[in-house]
């Protein structure tokens, strides 16, 4: 019924970035996503906890998103995604003007799913338009999680393509 439940999202500049992976032994009821990429100066360009709402995330292509306290990766809330009928649907966020085309950033998200096949393929994807208005899709990271297990999608030095406009990021499946 849904792709992911985002518990947190943080993006920082690549310089001096380290990654931390955590796990939970709590019963898993939903798919959850959170960032664990920690820049050395603790300055995030995007950080979302979902403690007070969707933190700017929206449903992609008909999917619905809402803050949920049913399960979380850290804290007490997460972003719940429902009404997915296609692999590319899910939660997305526009990166806005803080992120610059041609620059490299560290992106990281942990994802978990409960329903469906015993294993799947998850992609952390960036969508953007070029100067001609053509839409492009770049894979930031790919993982092959097992149902009910946390999986980290991470790229500590992902370069936003030169000339990219209207940039957003999302998690999708095959």
């Amino acid at each position: 019924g849904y792709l992911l439940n985002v518990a947190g999202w943080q993006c920082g500049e690549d310089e001096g970035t380290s990654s931390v992976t955590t796990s939970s032994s709590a019963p898993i009821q939903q798919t959850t996503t959170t960032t664990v990429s920690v820049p050395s100066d603790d300055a995030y360009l995007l950080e979302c906890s979902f403690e007070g709402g969707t933190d700017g995330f929206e449903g992609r292509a008909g999917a619905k998103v809402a803050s949920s306290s049913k399960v979380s990766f850290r804290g007490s809330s997460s972003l719940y995604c429902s009404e997915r009928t296609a692999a590319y649907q899910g939660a997305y966020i526009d990166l806005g003007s803080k992120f610059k085309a041609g620059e490299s950033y560290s992106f990281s998200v942990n994802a978990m799913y409960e329903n469906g096949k015993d294993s799947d393929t998850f992609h952390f994807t960036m969508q953007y338009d070029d100067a001609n208005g053509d839409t492009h899709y770049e894979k930031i990271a790919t993982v092959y999680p097992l149902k009910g297990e946390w999986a980290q999608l991470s790229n500590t030095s992902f370069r936003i393509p030169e000339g990219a406009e209207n940039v957003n990021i999302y998690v999708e499946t095959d």
Side-chain angles (χ1 to χ4, degrees), residues 20-114:
V20 179
T21 303
T22 61
S23 62
S24 170
S25 60
I28 300 159
Q29 300 297 320
Q30 303 167 357
T31 304
T32 304
T33 307
T34 187
T35 41
V36 293
S37 184
V38 184
S40 59
D41 63 359
D42 292 329
Y44 294 106
L45 296 176
L46 175 65
E47 181 175 11
C48 302
S49 68
F50 308 109
E51 297 297 323
T54 63
D55 288 344
F57 275 83
E58 297 180 41
R60 187 169 196 275
K64 305 288 184 209
V65 295
S67 180
S68 173
S69 60
K70 189 171 181 182
V71 67
S72 65
F73 184 78
R74 67 174 174 206
S76 62
S77 295
S78 55
L79 188 68
Y80 176 76
C81 183
S82 61
E83 299 187 32
R84 285 184 73 242
T85 57
Y88 60 86
Q89 291 176 308
Y92 82 95
I93 190 164
D94 187 302
L95 292 184
S97 62
K98 291 181 182 177
F99 293 84
K100 307 293 183 206
E103 301 274 326
S104 292
Y105 299 91
S106 177
F107 293 94
S108 180
V109 65
N110 281 335
M112 183 188 330
Y113 73 102
E114 182 183 51

Side-chain angles (χ1 to χ4, degrees), residues 3-6 8-9 31-34 57 60 63 81 84 86-93 108-112 121-126 139-141 143 145 151 153 168-174:
L3 169 62
L4 61 117
N5 180 349
V6 180
W9 199 299
T31 304
T32 304
T33 307
T34 187
F57 275 83
R60 187 169 196 275
C81 183
R84 285 184 73 242
Y88 60 86
Q89 291 176 308
Y92 82 95
I93 190 164
S108 180
V109 65
N110 281 335
M112 183 188 330
T121 303
F122 276 44
H123 303 286
F124 193 5
T125 304
M126 177 174 286
K139 301 295 188 227
I140 298 170
V143 295
L153 294 102
N168 65 69
I169 52 177
Y170 60 98
V171 176
E172 64 181 332
T173 59
D174 268 351

